[in-house]
Amino acid sequence: MHRSLIKTALVSVLSLSTVLTIGLHDQDAEAANTQETLSIGKKNLPESRNTQQLARGVTYTDIERGYVSDNRYYTVDVAFLGTKEKADTLIQELKKKGYKAKLHKVENKHPESTDVKEKHIGYVVRKGEFKEEKVANDLADQLKTDGFEKARATFSEYDGTTMSTGPWKIDVLEIDPDKFQGELTNALAKDKITGRETVSSMADRTLAGLNGGYFVVGSADGVPGDPAGISVVNGQLVSEAVGERTSLLLSENRAEITDTSTSLQVETESGERAVIDGINRKPGLIRSCGGVEDAETNQPKHDVTCTDQEEIIEYNSYFGDTTPKGDGFEVVLDEEGTIVDTYSERGNSIPAKGSVLSATGDRADWLQNHVAAEEKLSITRTVTADGKQVETQPGLDIIGGAPQLLNDGKIDIQAREEGFAWSNDFYYHFAQYRHPRSFAGIKENGNILLITVEGRNPEQSIGVNFFESAQILQSLGAVIGMNLDGGGSSAMVVNEQLVNKPSDTTGERPVSDGILILNK
């Protein structure tokens, strides 16, 4: 994937701790408020902005755009079908059971702006138009009882293949590298792979923060809290990459958006080598795929868990106290790479300054047959950005995400390449549908944009799709941009206050990591 060179953002030590609201002499806030309106939705929509200067070189802008349409409604999507013939068959089946449904054709409205070039995506069979959400929910339940198990209630404006009036609530943090005197960094929840934490908790006593990359949610897909993609914390690789996906790099107070990948290998004293499949995750489960010799694919496949029963996984202190239990073979290494213990099963203590190699299947046999007590192993961990090796030195942070949304100032969404178009159904519901989103961008002058869009809230904000996310970045002056984790994970905290309404019914979701703007 071609990427242009982007001016990086220099960030230094913060000395201001007071919050300043916009005033006549606040040039940062004035500049934010005089930008052109956003381009999402129908033309000439009302839009308002309120900007605060949080510190020298840091502004927060709350944008409200659009309005609640009189034509909105709740409905029930009975199913997504790939062909009109299948959709027509379903409509006839519904008719036989007394339901009158209609057909919605799903098209790719912007093939020139994405690597998904198909014009036709599929069909959605829908039933009903209701003013009340409860009526749609009741109908969805009845349809499921009658055998239409995929039926679900939804809102008309969530379908991102149709034009909307909104409304939208967008929260924007902008960091000016020439003025900011603080630190832009990332943090693992509770400083552990196995921990999760709300952004509000992570951003306590900071200027601001928002959620970071994708992560494992349920134990069936791995270890809850494990980043589903690359994560580097202060120069230490704590999670391997998913193929070559887009990531946000923060290094020595510089920011860059690039493709990143990882390659890991162990070598014995006798010169025997083996691939290390992953870092700090459950063996055999690779969330969003993109690993080595995995079933079903080695390519990124978002929200799918690939498997591999024969792996070597490295664990360090960021994982927790012990490795996952199970059959296999483990070697414990000190910080110099010397073997201090071996075990014929998995589930042993992780040293504070060393690591553990944990192997399963034939990889366990290989490890057991090729190492001995007090032998020194050489472990190579290679991180590349846009094909060039990155030195993993202290101060380097990498936050995984995907896909790319913007490049060279143009909307260029790499949905297929980065694993978001492995089926038309998934592409429609994840990329084209409007959801809460978080994303990042870099402007031509080096300023960094961190953005959340509230969603799944019909009265206040309906969310955005990939294309609309890219439009927002473009409208705000970014020349390169990427998607972060979204949905219920999207959260932004400013001055220790949550400024958006997360979409989970249980409230703010505990996440794996956060991007923080720190006071010093």
Side-chain angles (χ1 to χ4, degrees):
M1 185 191 310
H2 171 73
R3 294 184 187 275
S4 62
L5 293 176
I6 301 300
K7 292 182 179 179
T8 54
L10 177 66
V11 182
S12 47
V13 182
L14 174 64
S15 59
L16 296 177
S17 60
T18 56
V19 177
L20 304 176
T21 57
I22 184 170
L24 293 176
H25 302 291
D26 184 346
Q27 296 178 351
D28 292 331
E30 283 183 359
N33 268 338
T34 57
Q35 293 173 349
E36 295 182 1
T37 59
L38 302 179
S39 56
I40 58 171
K42 294 184 177 181
K43 293 182 179 180
N44 302 318
L45 292 175
E47 181 178 306
S48 65
R49 300 187 183 194
N50 180 32
T51 297
Q52 291 181 325
Q53 184 173 8
L54 304 182
R56 179 175 167 81
V58 181
T59 58
Y60 160 63
T61 302
D62 176 8
I63 304 175
E64 294 185 3
R65 178 174 173 82
Y67 55 87
V68 176
S69 170
D70 291 337
N71 297 322
R72 66 176 187 160
Y73 56 88
Y74 293 93
T75 186
V76 175
D77 282 2
V78 183
F80 175 95
L81 289 309
T83 66
K84 188 174 185 300
E85 290 74 19
K86 290 181 179 179
D88 288 340
T89 298
L90 178 58
I91 289 174
Q92 292 304 313
E93 291 175 2
L94 287 162
K95 187 176 181 180
K96 290 177 181 177
K97 294 195 175 184
Y99 299 104
K100 185 179 180 180
K102 64 179 182 179
L103 195 64
H104 170 61
K105 187 177 182 180
V106 179
E107 293 185 339
N108 186 3
K109 300 292 186 180
H110 308 283
E112 75 286 351
S113 300
T114 176
D115 61 352
V116 177
K117 299 303 181 184
E118 296 92 330
K119 182 178 180 181
H120 172 68
I121 302 300
Y123 297 87
V124 176
V125 175
R126 286 187 174 147
K127 166 63 180 168
E129 294 184 8
F130 313 105
K131 291 297 182 183
E132 299 296 329
E133 183 178 14
K134 183 180 183 304
V135 180
N137 283 326
D138 290 344
L139 176 59
D141 291 341
Q142 184 59 51
L143 284 162
K144 289 177 181 178
T145 301
D146 286 344
F148 303 99
E149 297 179 356
K150 295 182 179 180
R152 66 185 187 98
T154 188
F155 185 63
S156 57
E157 305 308 292
Y158 294 164
D159 188 333
T161 66
T162 60
M163 192 64 75
S164 178
T165 63
W168 290 279
K169 182 184 186 302
I170 300 125
D171 296 291
V172 183
L173 293 167
E174 181 166 351
I175 302 99
D176 183 333
D178 296 323
K179 298 178 181 178
F180 181 46
Q181 299 176 357
E183 182 183 3
L184 179 64
T185 186
N186 79 315
L188 284 179
K190 300 180 180 178
D191 296 321
K192 298 285 185 182
I193 290 289
T194 50
R196 284 193 288 167
E197 192 175 3
T198 63
V199 176
S200 294
S201 176
M202 282 187 278
D204 186 30
R205 295 180 299 280
T206 70
L207 281 177
L210 76 163
N211 63 292
Y214 304 107
F215 60 96
V216 174
V217 176
S219 57
D221 299 309
V223 176
D226 174 28
I230 191 170
S231 179
V232 173
V233 178
N234 195 28
Q236 185 162 0
L237 183 64
V238 299
S239 179
E240 79 276 13
V242 173
E244 296 183 13
R245 276 181 155 186
T246 307
S247 302
L248 177 65
L249 278 67
L250 307 173
S251 178
E252 296 181 351
N253 296 327
R254 302 185 180 203
E256 191 176 0
I257 291 173
T258 70
D259 296 336
T260 57
S261 62
T262 53
S263 176
L264 300 100
Q265 187 178 81
V266 57
E267 183 176 353
T268 66
E269 288 183 351
S270 61
E272 298 291 335
R273 299 177 181 178
V275 169
I276 297 176
D277 296 82
I279 297 182
N280 292 328
R281 64 166 169 81
K282 188 173 182 178
L285 298 176
I286 306 96
R287 188 60 173 167
S288 292
C289 306
V292 181
E293 297 183 0
D294 298 337
E296 60 195 76
T297 178
N298 294 331
Q299 299 303 311
K301 193 170 184 180
H302 195 71
D303 274 1
V304 173
T305 300
C306 283
T307 59
D308 186 349
Q309 301 307 313
E310 300 169 344
E311 292 193 307
I312 298 176
I313 305 296
E314 182 186 13
Y315 296 93
N316 54 45
S317 59
Y318 277 102
F319 182 79
D321 296 329
T322 59
T323 63
K325 293 182 179 180
D327 295 333
F329 184 77
E330 290 188 339
V331 297
V332 181
L333 310 175
D334 65 17
E335 58 185 321
E336 302 299 325
T338 301
I339 298 174
V340 295
D341 277 308
T342 62
Y343 297 95
S344 58
E345 60 182 13
R346 295 183 293 115
N348 299 286
S349 296
I350 301 170
K353 294 186 178 181
S355 62
V356 176
L357 293 182
S358 182
T360 57
D362 68 356
R363 296 292 82 195
D365 296 335
W366 183 92
L367 192 62
Q368 187 170 10
N369 293 332
H370 286 82
V371 301
E374 300 184 0
E375 180 179 359
K376 187 173 183 178
L377 302 182
S378 176
I379 296 178
T380 303
R381 308 171 189 89
T382 302
V383 177
T384 61
D386 286 347
K388 297 180 180 180
Q389 185 170 343
V390 175
E391 295 297 326
T392 50
Q393 298 176 344
L396 173 68
D397 294 316
I398 301 181
I399 302 98
Q404 172 188 284
L405 299 173
L406 200 67
N407 190 34
D408 277 338
K410 299 177 181 178
I411 297 177
D412 185 9
I413 303 166
Q414 298 297 308
R416 172 157 283 136
E417 181 176 331
E418 301 199 47
F420 296 87
W422 50 266
S423 79
N424 284 3
D425 189 345
F426 186 84
Y427 179 69
Y428 168 63
H429 284 106
F430 196 100
Q432 294 183 299
Y433 225 68
R434 294 187 175 104
H435 295 288
R437 306 274 183 185
S438 299
F439 39 95
I442 302 175
K443 299 172 71 171
E444 183 65 32
N445 64 2
N447 284 15
I448 302 164
L449 298 172
L450 302 172
I451 302 168
T452 60
V453 181
E454 192 172 307
R456 300 173 188 160
N457 184 354
E459 300 301 320
Q460 183 165 325
S461 187
I462 60 173
V464 289
N465 57 27
F466 278 174
F467 184 80
E468 290 165 336
S469 300
Q471 283 184 304
I472 292 171
L473 284 166
Q474 193 177 52
S475 297
L476 294 175
V479 293
I480 190 165
M482 61 173 287
N483 196 52
L484 297 166
D485 190 15
S489 297
S490 284
M492 181 181 287
V493 172
V494 175
N495 289 326
E496 303 182 39
Q497 297 295 318
L498 189 66
V499 295
N500 68 325
K501 182 180 179 182
S503 64
D504 283 0
T505 56
T506 53
E508 189 179 354
R509 176 186 295 178
V511 296
S512 173
D513 63 346
I515 304 170
L516 305 179
I517 304 173
L518 301 178
N519 259 324
K520 278 192 176 181

